[in-house]
Amino acid sequence: MPSHRCRFLVAPAAITALALAQAVTPVTAAAAAPTDVSATLAARTTSVPAADEISGSGNVVVWRQKTSADTLAHGWLAVSGGTPRDLGRLADTGETVNVDAVSVQDGVVAVATSANPNGDLADHVTLRHLDSGEQDTLPVAYDSSGAAGDERYRAQAGNGILVQQSYYDDSSAYRVRLLLRTPGNEDRTLLSDDEQYEVLASDVHGALVLRRTAPGWGHKIVYIDCATGASVTVAEPATDELPQGLEFTPSHVGVIDGATLTEWQRSAPGDGSSTVTLPVSGAHWISDDTLAWYQFSVDDGGGVSELFAMARDGSTPAKDLGGTFTDLAVGDDGKMRVTLYRPDVDAAIQTLTDGRVSTTTGDATTIPAGPARLDALALSDGALYTADDSSRRQGVLLRSGLSATPAGASTSTPARVLNYSAGLVHQTLAAAGGRVLVEQGTPYEPGHFQVYEDGKLVGTPLNYYDVSKVHVVDFDGEHVLVSDKTTAADGTLLLYTFASGHMERVPSGSALDGGAVYSSVRNGTTSSWWIRRTDLTTGTVTTAATVSCLPGDLQVRGSRILLTTCGAASTTGLLLKAGNSTGTTVDASVHTPILGKDVLYTFTKSSAGVTLNAQTLGGTATAAQPLFALPQKADSAAAERWAVDRDAPWAAWMDDAGVTHVTWAGVPTAVSSATPTGFSPNGDGSADTWTPTWTYNRPVSWTLTLKSGTTQVRSISGTASVGTVEPVWNGTTQTGTAATDGAYTWILTVRDTVTGRAAADVTGKVTLRRPVPAASVTAPTVASSAATSAAVPVAWAAKTTGVKSYDVGWRAATRDSAGVWKLGPLQTWRTGTTATSAVFGKAGSPVQPVPGLTYRFYVRAHDDASQTGPWSKAVTTGIPLDDRATALHYTGTWKSVAASSAWSGTERTSATKGAYVSFSADGTQLRIVATRKPSGGRFAVLVDGKTVGTVNTYAATTAYRQVVFTYTLGTTITTHKVQLRVLSGSTPGRSTVILDAIMVTR
């Protein structure tokens, strides 16, 4: 039987599994805990088990196939490329039988089977006639002792079989003969007096046989005619090594030497041979129209043997068939068939025509997929990676996402993330950070530790010529720690960086996490040890912890550090946090514990085997809970059939039927929450109850406890079948009385209703306030009272307790297009501010105040109970018109004077009796802004021609921007004519009127 390509040969014994999934005492069953959250992935059928013993005859193809690593081979039959039919159990008894060989000739399928499941040679052959459906069973007296009468099945001969039978000749010498055995007939001897036979090819008419002749173990290859018994020697090799190639077609038999074929006609072998020059040197197989051979190639980056083929007459050139194959045969119909495995199509038995894969309907038979054999499991960050399977010609890596929801655990459909082009993956050693570390190679190449991300090779592979001496200790996606054959000598591990190919030695027992390597170092001559962290990017070394025992191997996840043992010859580990020297003891007597993110995996042993337990580190429960019993390995060289996720709370195992089970090992996690910080149970219909919500990924039971200081005020409990926790507190105590106003501490305790595991408590504060928050606002009536320019200082303050922030708003009256004054909408100036004052018109002001307009300011408060009070009563501030405003008309002698303390920096003065200023006033109130001085004079105020007041601006000391006169014009905005007329002074030195600004409130 031909070999497949070297690069796809079955790998040597797989290297030891990842240190975090070490070997344990095998068990025969793996039972899940009764309170688990688990899911299953069906036995995979992505693999195509190897098909061999392929035989064809016309439109019929048969082959032998093992459907998985743990079952016996079956015989398979397909007609005209149709759906293959499993020939199944072929014995007449209830015994389990092993298919040793299968073939088809002249419409008869022969299946050689043995009742011994260990695969001893066939003890009977079943002949099935495809045309009539009849069946014959021919016994084979197989005897492993080799005594006289011992028979060995050698090949099919149509409706018969060729059997080698031992006997003693007349001189008591041990001899064998080749018999033709057919149903209902006596055996007929074809060859005798030899020491061994190997049937190289056969059909109903004849056989090509390698004879080991006696005495002396000579070698002859003869063709023998089954009907007449006539034979002819076609070759006499010096050893039992076969010639370069042999021909066995319906018309000819022959041998190949280089490009020379020496052949005999099967119809008249005694007529002698003839020679034929073939169009290629080195052909191994010949059919009626095709030559096939191996050809060494380096095109793929390494030395491999490819299968080439061409037309027998040279009409088509030599071509690499592509893919890989496990068997090649020439049927009794003269056609060549090959079992091809290709990455782009299903594995199939293909018929070759003129050196090419035939595309004729019925000339290809798809090999049925079987359960994939587990090569390894790996888990990382909620993703399950499975590498399968050993019967493929290319390794396949599958990924399935895992999730735990209120409905239970679920898995996504496994997706192929990698098709290995460099041979089978022997084990998936580790997964981390979205990357997987695998070991690949062939017996003819060094092993490779390679990292893949999204199906692509990342970095530089780590090569080892003897992978059996290498043990992967830890992997973080960027780096790997391995122990190798030198470790025993120098007590170190190899730290390898895939991105750069850099390697260095670190102390044994080291671990990787967060871009750093952790190692234990003795603290001088004392009895304590440092756990040192070395940043792999910067090289910075820090001390993560100090312990007073001899550390075993380290495992690190985040801030947690696990010493697998603590003390010489100890079976107890130590779990601690970085920065601490004390921690919690961990039982390591059964198996090395495994530290994951917020999960500690431990092991217990009983009569049923070893059980994996999960102890949640992020919750309030401390007890470890059982997950499943560890399954035994498929064989001693296989990887473990279980794994844990060190980055998410998941574990997985595979049963004997190939079904993968995943089990959630975590605690409920809140995926969303809404927790109001306060409420006001005052019956106003707004926030009368506190209604926080938490949505968990699991069904949970919960208890909400409310405390005032250390005193418990209220406790509320419930169950959330879909994971949504929605308690309601109406502000009463446990006895139904009203709780006092103030801040309360709340604590939410949650427990998974299926597993009983408790999540970490959630806590916070909530404030209860019954009064609605209120605030007041202040501002100057006229802007000039506070400043010399259009900027208004506004202040606000709380009128109730518990106020946390304020909203400040403003409005202004403006004249529309019809000349009508209208009050504008309330606009926001400050939102949620904690300040209590600001200047309207400075930085952060929404507008620049306009002279002549009136602005109204409002405030409302927010309190610590999440209440929002009503808007306050408005305060009004007017922006006065400067003395230079065009709306003011001066008559008589007036003088403009600069004064930095005046409104807008100027004043208008007059000491002339009868001088006046006039203007229109559209508003409800009139205010006159002037400067009082020792020389201040008097003026009269006339509204609509009527004197409404007299103002004396005398003052002992000068005072700027004084509101010297206020007059109510009316309750509605109407237009009034106003005149300010200078009067005679009360004394000669008090006659000057100094006008600064005019303000009309609207």
Side-chain angles (χ1 to χ4, degrees), residues 104-159:
V104 59
Q105 294 176 12
D106 201 26
V108 178
V109 176
V111 181
T113 57
S114 61
N116 189 331
N118 293 323
D120 285 337
L121 295 181
D123 57 17
H124 65 282
V125 178
T126 302
L127 299 172
R128 298 190 178 189
H129 298 256
L130 297 177
D131 55 353
S132 64
E134 295 179 355
Q135 178 173 303
D136 296 307
T137 299
L138 299 180
V140 178
Y142 167 72
D143 182 353
S144 59
S145 68
D150 172 43
E151 295 181 344
R152 308 291 172 96
Y153 172 69
R154 288 306 187 208
Q156 179 186 4
N159 187 29

Short mmCIF file of all heavy atoms in Angstrom, two decimals, residues 104-159:
data_model
loop_
_atom_site.label_atom_id
_atom_site.label_comp_id
_atom_site.label_asym_id
_atom_site.label_seq_id
_atom_site.Cartn_x
_atom_site.Cartn_y
_atom_site.Cartn_z
N VAL A 104 -13.12 -6.01 -4.02
CA VAL A 104 -14.21 -6.32 -4.92
C VAL A 104 -13.62 -6.77 -6.24
O VAL A 104 -12.69 -6.16 -6.77
CB VAL A 104 -15.15 -5.12 -5.11
CG1 VAL A 104 -14.42 -3.91 -5.68
CG2 VAL A 104 -16.34 -5.49 -6.00
N GLN A 105 -14.15 -7.87 -6.77
CA GLN A 105 -13.74 -8.39 -8.07
C GLN A 105 -14.94 -9.06 -8.73
O GLN A 105 -15.68 -9.80 -8.07
CB GLN A 105 -12.60 -9.42 -7.93
CG GLN A 105 -11.30 -8.86 -7.41
CD GLN A 105 -10.25 -9.93 -7.21
OE1 GLN A 105 -10.41 -11.07 -7.65
NE2 GLN A 105 -9.16 -9.57 -6.54
N ASP A 106 -15.11 -8.75 -9.99
CA ASP A 106 -16.11 -9.45 -10.80
C ASP A 106 -17.49 -9.46 -10.14
O ASP A 106 -18.20 -10.47 -10.17
CB ASP A 106 -15.64 -10.89 -11.06
CG ASP A 106 -16.33 -11.50 -12.27
OD1 ASP A 106 -16.74 -10.71 -13.17
OD2 ASP A 106 -16.46 -12.73 -12.33
N GLY A 107 -17.86 -8.31 -9.51
CA GLY A 107 -19.18 -8.19 -8.91
C GLY A 107 -19.32 -8.90 -7.58
O GLY A 107 -20.44 -9.07 -7.10
N VAL A 108 -18.21 -9.30 -6.98
CA VAL A 108 -18.26 -10.00 -5.69
C VAL A 108 -17.40 -9.20 -4.70
O VAL A 108 -16.24 -8.87 -4.98
CB VAL A 108 -17.73 -11.44 -5.80
CG1 VAL A 108 -17.75 -12.11 -4.42
CG2 VAL A 108 -18.56 -12.23 -6.80
N VAL A 109 -17.99 -8.88 -3.54
CA VAL A 109 -17.26 -8.17 -2.48
C VAL A 109 -16.77 -9.21 -1.48
O VAL A 109 -17.55 -10.03 -0.97
CB VAL A 109 -18.16 -7.15 -1.77
CG1 VAL A 109 -17.42 -6.50 -0.60
CG2 VAL A 109 -18.62 -6.09 -2.76
N ALA A 110 -15.46 -9.16 -1.19
CA ALA A 110 -14.87 -10.07 -0.22
C ALA A 110 -14.45 -9.26 1.00
O ALA A 110 -13.72 -8.26 0.87
CB ALA A 110 -13.66 -10.77 -0.81
N VAL A 111 -14.90 -9.70 2.16
CA VAL A 111 -14.52 -9.04 3.41
C VAL A 111 -13.90 -10.09 4.32
O VAL A 111 -14.57 -11.05 4.73
CB VAL A 111 -15.74 -8.40 4.10
CG1 VAL A 111 -15.32 -7.69 5.38
CG2 VAL A 111 -16.42 -7.42 3.16
N ALA A 112 -12.63 -9.90 4.62
CA ALA A 112 -11.92 -10.81 5.50
C ALA A 112 -12.00 -10.27 6.91
O ALA A 112 -11.62 -9.13 7.17
CB ALA A 112 -10.46 -10.94 5.07
N THR A 113 -12.51 -11.06 7.83
CA THR A 113 -12.71 -10.60 9.20
C THR A 113 -12.19 -11.62 10.18
O THR A 113 -11.99 -12.80 9.86
CB THR A 113 -14.20 -10.37 9.48
OG1 THR A 113 -14.91 -11.58 9.22
CG2 THR A 113 -14.75 -9.27 8.61
N SER A 114 -11.96 -11.11 11.40
CA SER A 114 -11.57 -11.99 12.49
C SER A 114 -12.39 -11.63 13.71
O SER A 114 -12.80 -10.49 13.89
CB SER A 114 -10.07 -11.82 12.81
OG SER A 114 -9.79 -10.50 13.20
N ALA A 115 -12.66 -12.62 14.53
CA ALA A 115 -13.44 -12.39 15.73
C ALA A 115 -12.59 -11.80 16.85
O ALA A 115 -13.11 -11.35 17.86
CB ALA A 115 -14.09 -13.69 16.20
N ASN A 116 -11.29 -11.81 16.67
CA ASN A 116 -10.40 -11.30 17.70
C ASN A 116 -10.28 -9.79 17.53
O ASN A 116 -9.77 -9.30 16.53
CB ASN A 116 -9.01 -11.95 17.57
CG ASN A 116 -8.11 -11.61 18.75
OD1 ASN A 116 -8.26 -10.55 19.35
ND2 ASN A 116 -7.19 -12.51 19.05
N PRO A 117 -10.75 -9.00 18.49
CA PRO A 117 -10.70 -7.53 18.33
C PRO A 117 -9.29 -6.97 18.35
O PRO A 117 -9.10 -5.80 18.04
CB PRO A 117 -11.51 -7.03 19.54
CG PRO A 117 -11.42 -8.12 20.54
CD PRO A 117 -11.38 -9.39 19.76
N ASN A 118 -8.32 -7.79 18.71
CA ASN A 118 -6.95 -7.30 18.69
C ASN A 118 -6.35 -7.31 17.28
O ASN A 118 -5.20 -6.94 17.09
CB ASN A 118 -6.06 -8.13 19.61
CG ASN A 118 -6.45 -7.94 21.07
OD1 ASN A 118 -6.80 -6.84 21.46
ND2 ASN A 118 -6.41 -9.01 21.85
N GLY A 119 -7.13 -7.75 16.32
CA GLY A 119 -6.70 -7.63 14.94
C GLY A 119 -5.86 -8.78 14.44
O GLY A 119 -5.04 -8.61 13.55
N ASP A 120 -6.05 -10.01 14.99
CA ASP A 120 -5.35 -11.16 14.42
C ASP A 120 -5.85 -11.38 13.00
O ASP A 120 -6.88 -10.85 12.58
CB ASP A 120 -5.62 -12.41 15.27
CG ASP A 120 -4.82 -12.38 16.56
OD1 ASP A 120 -3.80 -11.67 16.58
OD2 ASP A 120 -5.22 -13.03 17.52
N LEU A 121 -5.13 -12.21 12.25
CA LEU A 121 -5.47 -12.40 10.85
C LEU A 121 -6.85 -13.05 10.71
O LEU A 121 -7.37 -13.67 11.62
CB LEU A 121 -4.41 -13.27 10.17
CG LEU A 121 -3.01 -12.64 10.10
CD1 LEU A 121 -2.04 -13.55 9.40
CD2 LEU A 121 -3.07 -11.29 9.42
N ALA A 122 -7.41 -12.88 9.51
CA ALA A 122 -8.80 -13.27 9.27
C ALA A 122 -9.03 -14.75 9.54
O ALA A 122 -8.20 -15.61 9.19
CB ALA A 122 -9.17 -12.95 7.84
N ASP A 123 -10.18 -15.06 10.17
CA ASP A 123 -10.56 -16.46 10.35
C ASP A 123 -11.75 -16.84 9.49
O ASP A 123 -12.21 -17.96 9.53
CB ASP A 123 -10.84 -16.77 11.83
CG ASP A 123 -11.91 -15.88 12.42
OD1 ASP A 123 -12.66 -15.25 11.65
OD2 ASP A 123 -11.99 -15.79 13.66
N HIS A 124 -12.27 -15.89 8.72
CA HIS A 124 -13.28 -16.21 7.71
C HIS A 124 -13.38 -15.05 6.73
O HIS A 124 -12.99 -13.91 7.04
CB HIS A 124 -14.64 -16.51 8.34
CG HIS A 124 -15.27 -15.35 9.04
ND1 HIS A 124 -14.88 -14.94 10.30
CD2 HIS A 124 -16.25 -14.51 8.66
CE1 HIS A 124 -15.60 -13.91 10.66
NE2 HIS A 124 -16.45 -13.62 9.68
N VAL A 125 -13.86 -15.35 5.55
CA VAL A 125 -14.03 -14.36 4.50
C VAL A 125 -15.47 -14.47 4.00
O VAL A 125 -15.94 -15.56 3.66
CB VAL A 125 -13.05 -14.58 3.33
CG1 VAL A 125 -13.30 -13.56 2.23
CG2 VAL A 125 -11.61 -14.51 3.81
N THR A 126 -16.15 -13.30 3.98
CA THR A 126 -17.53 -13.26 3.51
C THR A 126 -17.53 -12.76 2.07
O THR A 126 -16.95 -11.72 1.76
CB THR A 126 -18.37 -12.33 4.39
OG1 THR A 126 -18.31 -12.79 5.74
CG2 THR A 126 -19.80 -12.31 3.92
N LEU A 127 -18.18 -13.52 1.18
CA LEU A 127 -18.30 -13.16 -0.23
C LEU A 127 -19.74 -12.75 -0.51
O LEU A 127 -20.67 -13.53 -0.27
CB LEU A 127 -17.91 -14.34 -1.12
CG LEU A 127 -16.47 -14.86 -0.95
CD1 LEU A 127 -16.28 -16.14 -1.75
CD2 LEU A 127 -15.48 -13.80 -1.41
N ARG A 128 -19.93 -11.54 -0.98
CA ARG A 128 -21.27 -11.04 -1.27
C ARG A 128 -21.40 -10.80 -2.77
O ARG A 128 -20.62 -10.05 -3.35
CB ARG A 128 -21.54 -9.75 -0.51
CG ARG A 128 -21.49 -9.94 0.99
CD ARG A 128 -21.99 -8.71 1.71
NE ARG A 128 -21.98 -8.90 3.16
CZ ARG A 128 -22.52 -8.07 4.03
NH1 ARG A 128 -23.13 -6.98 3.59
NH2 ARG A 128 -22.47 -8.31 5.32
N HIS A 129 -22.38 -11.43 -3.38
CA HIS A 129 -22.63 -11.26 -4.81
C HIS A 129 -23.56 -10.07 -4.99
O HIS A 129 -24.72 -10.09 -4.57
CB HIS A 129 -23.27 -12.53 -5.38
CG HIS A 129 -22.38 -13.73 -5.27
ND1 HIS A 129 -21.69 -14.25 -6.34
CD2 HIS A 129 -22.07 -14.50 -4.20
CE1 HIS A 129 -20.99 -15.30 -5.94
NE2 HIS A 129 -21.20 -15.48 -4.63
N LEU A 130 -23.05 -9.03 -5.65
CA LEU A 130 -23.82 -7.81 -5.77
C LEU A 130 -25.02 -7.96 -6.70
O LEU A 130 -26.02 -7.25 -6.54
CB LEU A 130 -22.92 -6.67 -6.26
CG LEU A 130 -21.78 -6.29 -5.31
CD1 LEU A 130 -20.92 -5.21 -5.92
CD2 LEU A 130 -22.33 -5.83 -3.97
N ASP A 131 -24.95 -8.86 -7.67
CA ASP A 131 -26.06 -9.00 -8.61
C ASP A 131 -27.22 -9.77 -7.99
O ASP A 131 -28.39 -9.41 -8.15
CB ASP A 131 -25.59 -9.66 -9.90
CG ASP A 131 -24.91 -11.00 -9.66
OD1 ASP A 131 -24.68 -11.36 -8.48
OD2 ASP A 131 -24.60 -11.69 -10.65
N SER A 132 -26.91 -10.83 -7.27
CA SER A 132 -27.98 -11.68 -6.73
C SER A 132 -28.25 -11.43 -5.25
O SER A 132 -29.31 -11.82 -4.75
CB SER A 132 -27.61 -13.16 -6.90
OG SER A 132 -26.45 -13.47 -6.13
N GLY A 133 -27.32 -10.82 -4.57
CA GLY A 133 -27.48 -10.62 -3.14
C GLY A 133 -27.12 -11.83 -2.31
O GLY A 133 -27.20 -11.80 -1.08
N GLU A 134 -26.68 -12.92 -2.97
CA GLU A 134 -26.31 -14.12 -2.22
C GLU A 134 -25.00 -13.88 -1.47
O GLU A 134 -24.19 -13.03 -1.84
CB GLU A 134 -26.16 -15.30 -3.17
CG GLU A 134 -27.48 -15.70 -3.84
CD GLU A 134 -27.29 -16.87 -4.80
OE1 GLU A 134 -26.11 -17.27 -4.99
OE2 GLU A 134 -28.29 -17.36 -5.34
N GLN A 135 -24.80 -14.69 -0.45
CA GLN A 135 -23.62 -14.51 0.39
C GLN A 135 -23.03 -15.87 0.73
O GLN A 135 -23.75 -16.82 1.05
CB GLN A 135 -24.01 -13.76 1.67
CG GLN A 135 -22.87 -13.54 2.64
CD GLN A 135 -23.30 -12.66 3.79
OE1 GLN A 135 -23.74 -11.55 3.59
NE2 GLN A 135 -23.17 -13.19 5.00
N ASP A 136 -21.73 -15.98 0.65
CA ASP A 136 -21.00 -17.19 1.04
C ASP A 136 -19.98 -16.82 2.09
O ASP A 136 -19.38 -15.74 2.05
CB ASP A 136 -20.29 -17.82 -0.16
CG ASP A 136 -21.26 -18.29 -1.23
OD1 ASP A 136 -22.17 -19.05 -0.89
OD2 ASP A 136 -21.09 -17.85 -2.40
N THR A 137 -19.75 -17.71 3.04
CA THR A 137 -18.72 -17.51 4.05
C THR A 137 -17.71 -18.65 3.93
O THR A 137 -18.08 -19.83 4.06
CB THR A 137 -19.31 -17.48 5.46
OG1 THR A 137 -20.23 -16.39 5.55
CG2 THR A 137 -18.22 -17.29 6.50
N LEU A 138 -16.49 -18.30 3.67
CA LEU A 138 -15.42 -19.29 3.55
C LEU A 138 -14.53 -19.22 4.77
O LEU A 138 -14.00 -18.15 5.10
CB LEU A 138 -14.59 -19.01 2.29
CG LEU A 138 -15.36 -19.08 0.96
CD1 LEU A 138 -14.42 -18.79 -0.20
CD2 LEU A 138 -16.00 -20.45 0.78
N PRO A 139 -14.36 -20.34 5.50
CA PRO A 139 -13.54 -20.31 6.71
C PRO A 139 -12.05 -20.26 6.36
O PRO A 139 -11.61 -20.70 5.30
CB PRO A 139 -13.90 -21.63 7.39
CG PRO A 139 -14.27 -22.54 6.27
CD PRO A 139 -14.93 -21.68 5.23
N VAL A 140 -11.28 -19.68 7.28
CA VAL A 140 -9.83 -19.67 7.19
C VAL A 140 -9.31 -20.21 8.51
O VAL A 140 -9.58 -19.64 9.57
CB VAL A 140 -9.28 -18.25 6.93
CG1 VAL A 140 -7.76 -18.26 6.89
CG2 VAL A 140 -9.84 -17.68 5.64
N ALA A 141 -8.60 -21.31 8.44
CA ALA A 141 -8.15 -21.97 9.66
C ALA A 141 -6.89 -21.29 10.19
O ALA A 141 -5.79 -21.86 10.20
CB ALA A 141 -7.90 -23.47 9.41
N TYR A 142 -7.07 -20.07 10.61
CA TYR A 142 -5.92 -19.31 11.13
C TYR A 142 -5.53 -19.87 12.50
O TYR A 142 -6.37 -20.09 13.36
CB TYR A 142 -6.27 -17.84 11.24
CG TYR A 142 -5.27 -17.07 12.05
CD1 TYR A 142 -4.01 -16.80 11.52
CD2 TYR A 142 -5.57 -16.61 13.32
CE1 TYR A 142 -3.07 -16.10 12.26
CE2 TYR A 142 -4.64 -15.91 14.06
CZ TYR A 142 -3.38 -15.66 13.54
OH TYR A 142 -2.46 -14.97 14.26
N ASP A 143 -4.27 -20.13 12.67
CA ASP A 143 -3.74 -20.63 13.94
C ASP A 143 -2.43 -19.90 14.19
O ASP A 143 -1.46 -20.08 13.45
CB ASP A 143 -3.51 -22.14 13.87
CG ASP A 143 -3.01 -22.72 15.20
OD1 ASP A 143 -2.72 -21.91 16.12
OD2 ASP A 143 -2.89 -23.94 15.30
N SER A 144 -2.41 -19.11 15.23
CA SER A 144 -1.22 -18.30 15.47
C SER A 144 0.01 -19.14 15.81
O SER A 144 1.13 -18.64 15.78
CB SER A 144 -1.49 -17.31 16.61
OG SER A 144 -1.84 -17.99 17.80
N SER A 145 -0.19 -20.43 16.11
CA SER A 145 0.97 -21.29 16.44
C SER A 145 1.80 -21.60 15.20
O SER A 145 2.97 -21.94 15.30
CB SER A 145 0.50 -22.57 17.09
OG SER A 145 -0.21 -23.38 16.15
N GLY A 146 1.19 -21.47 14.03
CA GLY A 146 1.90 -21.78 12.81
C GLY A 146 2.08 -23.27 12.55
O GLY A 146 2.85 -23.67 11.68
N ALA A 147 1.34 -24.11 13.27
CA ALA A 147 1.45 -25.56 13.08
C ALA A 147 0.87 -25.95 11.73
O ALA A 147 0.23 -25.16 11.04
CB ALA A 147 0.72 -26.28 14.21
N ALA A 148 1.10 -27.20 11.36
CA ALA A 148 0.58 -27.70 10.09
C ALA A 148 -0.93 -27.50 10.04
O ALA A 148 -1.63 -27.73 11.02
CB ALA A 148 0.94 -29.17 9.93
N GLY A 149 -1.41 -27.04 8.90
CA GLY A 149 -2.82 -26.75 8.74
C GLY A 149 -3.17 -25.28 8.98
O GLY A 149 -4.27 -24.85 8.65
N ASP A 150 -2.25 -24.57 9.52
CA ASP A 150 -2.47 -23.13 9.74
C ASP A 150 -2.66 -22.45 8.40
O ASP A 150 -1.91 -22.69 7.45
CB ASP A 150 -1.26 -22.54 10.48
CG ASP A 150 -1.34 -21.02 10.55
OD1 ASP A 150 -2.43 -20.51 10.84
OD2 ASP A 150 -0.32 -20.36 10.32
N GLU A 151 -3.70 -21.56 8.33
CA GLU A 151 -4.02 -20.89 7.08
C GLU A 151 -3.97 -19.38 7.26
O GLU A 151 -4.32 -18.85 8.32
CB GLU A 151 -5.40 -21.31 6.57
CG GLU A 151 -5.47 -22.78 6.21
CD GLU A 151 -6.83 -23.20 5.68
OE1 GLU A 151 -7.81 -22.43 5.87
OE2 GLU A 151 -6.93 -24.28 5.09
N ARG A 152 -3.53 -18.71 6.20
CA ARG A 152 -3.50 -17.25 6.18
C ARG A 152 -4.20 -16.77 4.91
O ARG A 152 -3.86 -17.20 3.81
CB ARG A 152 -2.07 -16.72 6.19
CG ARG A 152 -1.19 -17.29 7.29
CD ARG A 152 -1.63 -16.80 8.66
NE ARG A 152 -0.93 -17.46 9.73
CZ ARG A 152 0.16 -16.96 10.34
NH1 ARG A 152 0.65 -15.81 9.93
NH2 ARG A 152 0.73 -17.62 11.31
N TYR A 153 -5.20 -15.89 5.11
CA TYR A 153 -5.88 -15.32 3.95
C TYR A 153 -4.92 -14.39 3.23
O TYR A 153 -4.28 -13.53 3.83
CB TYR A 153 -7.12 -14.54 4.40
CG TYR A 153 -7.78 -13.75 3.30
CD1 TYR A 153 -8.42 -14.40 2.25
CD2 TYR A 153 -7.75 -12.36 3.30
CE1 TYR A 153 -9.04 -13.67 1.23
CE2 TYR A 153 -8.36 -11.63 2.30
CZ TYR A 153 -9.00 -12.29 1.25
OH TYR A 153 -9.59 -11.57 0.25
N ARG A 154 -4.83 -14.54 1.89
CA ARG A 154 -3.87 -13.75 1.12
C ARG A 154 -4.54 -12.78 0.15
O ARG A 154 -4.05 -11.68 -0.03
CB ARG A 154 -2.93 -14.67 0.34
CG ARG A 154 -1.92 -15.40 1.21
CD ARG A 154 -1.15 -14.44 2.06
NE ARG A 154 -0.06 -15.04 2.80
CZ ARG A 154 0.42 -14.60 3.94
NH1 ARG A 154 -0.15 -13.53 4.48
NH2 ARG A 154 1.41 -15.20 4.53
N ALA A 155 -5.66 -13.17 -0.49
CA ALA A 155 -6.28 -12.26 -1.44
C ALA A 155 -7.57 -12.88 -1.96
O ALA A 155 -7.85 -14.06 -1.77
CB ALA A 155 -5.35 -11.96 -2.61
N GLN A 156 -8.36 -12.02 -2.63
CA GLN A 156 -9.57 -12.47 -3.30
C GLN A 156 -9.23 -12.92 -4.71
O GLN A 156 -8.32 -12.39 -5.35
CB GLN A 156 -10.61 -11.34 -3.35
CG GLN A 156 -11.91 -11.71 -4.05
CD GLN A 156 -12.85 -10.53 -4.21
OE1 GLN A 156 -12.49 -9.40 -3.85
NE2 GLN A 156 -14.04 -10.78 -4.74
N ALA A 157 -9.98 -13.89 -5.19
CA ALA A 157 -9.86 -14.32 -6.59
C ALA A 157 -11.28 -14.47 -7.13
O ALA A 157 -11.79 -15.59 -7.28
CB ALA A 157 -9.09 -15.62 -6.70
N GLY A 158 -11.94 -13.34 -7.38
CA GLY A 158 -13.32 -13.39 -7.87
C GLY A 158 -14.23 -13.98 -6.83
O GLY A 158 -14.30 -13.52 -5.70
N ASN A 159 -14.91 -15.08 -7.22
CA ASN A 159 -15.80 -15.78 -6.30
C ASN A 159 -15.02 -16.82 -5.51
O ASN A 159 -15.48 -17.95 -5.30
CB ASN A 159 -16.94 -16.43 -7.08
CG ASN A 159 -17.98 -17.03 -6.13
OD1 ASN A 159 -18.15 -16.54 -5.03
ND2 ASN A 159 -18.66 -18.08 -6.58
#
